Amino acid sequence: MLRHVEGPDQELLSRLADDPQPQTREGFVAMLNAALPKKRAIAQALVCDPEGRVLLCELTYKREWDLPGGVVDPGESPADAVVRELREELGVDARVRGLRTVNWLPPWSAWDDAVLFVFDVEPWDPETPLVLQPTEIAGVHWCERDLVRERATAATIELLDSLDDDPADSYREAGHVFRGNA
């Protein structure tokens, strides 16, 4: 353990025996990486059937329904995360067609802010039996917009409405679309 010394640019830190020395490039990068803020990333799938209905999941841990997906694991890409989440939670092998939008979500309730990646996911064969992860998914529903507005989270309703208004916009902040330098 290094001692804390009063004065500018001093740092109190502890390290493991096999950590790189703080005076080395590797040590500096490790300390910087540990000190930089971490932002939660979420990957969700926008899956629509031929009738234009949106797939929503009825979750066990909140009242509102939401798009399928979940938190991106450390070192995992958001696209890989959405495929993994669909496999784990619904038992389907999904194919990502592309990124629909990125949406920054401000802090809400006890959650910190997050960056949400929404992927356009190819619908699977409707005859494919779903295997729901019982600890998280109580049911899945193909929803027309009226049912979305009735049952979905406010953030999901706002996101889907903004995609309807301008599907080409690729970045949003909690429903606010940014165009150019706005």
Side-chain angles (χ1 to χ4, degrees):
M1 177 129 150
L2 297 179
R3 281 185 306 145
H4 178 70
V5 179
E6 294 297 324
D9 298 310
Q10 299 298 312
E11 184 80 24
L12 174 64
L13 63 106
S14 62
R15 38 188 299 280
L16 300 174
D18 60 348
D19 282 348
Q21 292 294 318
Q23 301 82 0
T24 66
R25 178 189 181 287
E26 292 79 15
F28 175 77
V29 170
M31 286 190 301
L32 187 60
N33 188 53
L36 288 172
K38 306 284 190 246
K39 186 166 299 284
R40 186 167 35 99
I42 301 168
Q44 289 185 321
L46 180 58
V47 186
C48 298
D49 69 4
E51 288 80 38
R53 297 177 301 174
V54 175
L55 182 71
L56 293 181
C57 292
E58 184 179 346
L59 304 168
T60 60
Y61 53 88
K62 64 182 174 183
R63 203 169 33 92
E64 299 89 358
W65 297 354
D66 210 344
L67 295 171
V71 175
V72 178
D73 288 339
E76 180 181 44
S77 79
D80 287 344
V82 78
V83 169
R84 175 186 52 76
E85 288 283 348
L86 289 168
R87 187 179 325 103
E88 289 175 359
E89 295 181 351
L90 305 181
V92 296
D93 289 319
R95 189 174 83 73
V96 171
R97 292 194 277 206
L99 180 67
R100 282 297 300 271
T101 193
V102 174
N103 191 23
W104 176 76
L105 301 172
W108 177 80
S109 186
W111 293 100
D112 291 337
D113 68 325
V115 177
L116 171 65
F117 297 86
V118 180
F119 292 94
D120 181 24
V121 172
E122 186 175 287
W124 45 86
D125 181 346
E127 300 301 315
T128 301
L130 299 179
V131 180
L132 306 184
Q133 184 180 39
T135 57
E136 291 192 41
I137 310 296
V140 293
H141 307 275
W142 290 103
C143 302
E144 294 180 359
R145 286 309 163 101
D146 289 344
L147 188 55
V148 169
R149 288 187 207 310
E150 182 183 321
R151 300 304 303 259
T153 66
T156 298
I157 294 167
E158 187 176 67
L159 175 74
L160 293 174
D161 284 349
S162 68
L163 284 171
D164 284 346
D165 291 344
D166 196 343
D169 281 323
S170 60
Y171 178 73
R172 296 165 167 74
E173 288 188 359
H176 301 288
V177 178
F178 286 83
R179 293 178 178 86
N181 294 326

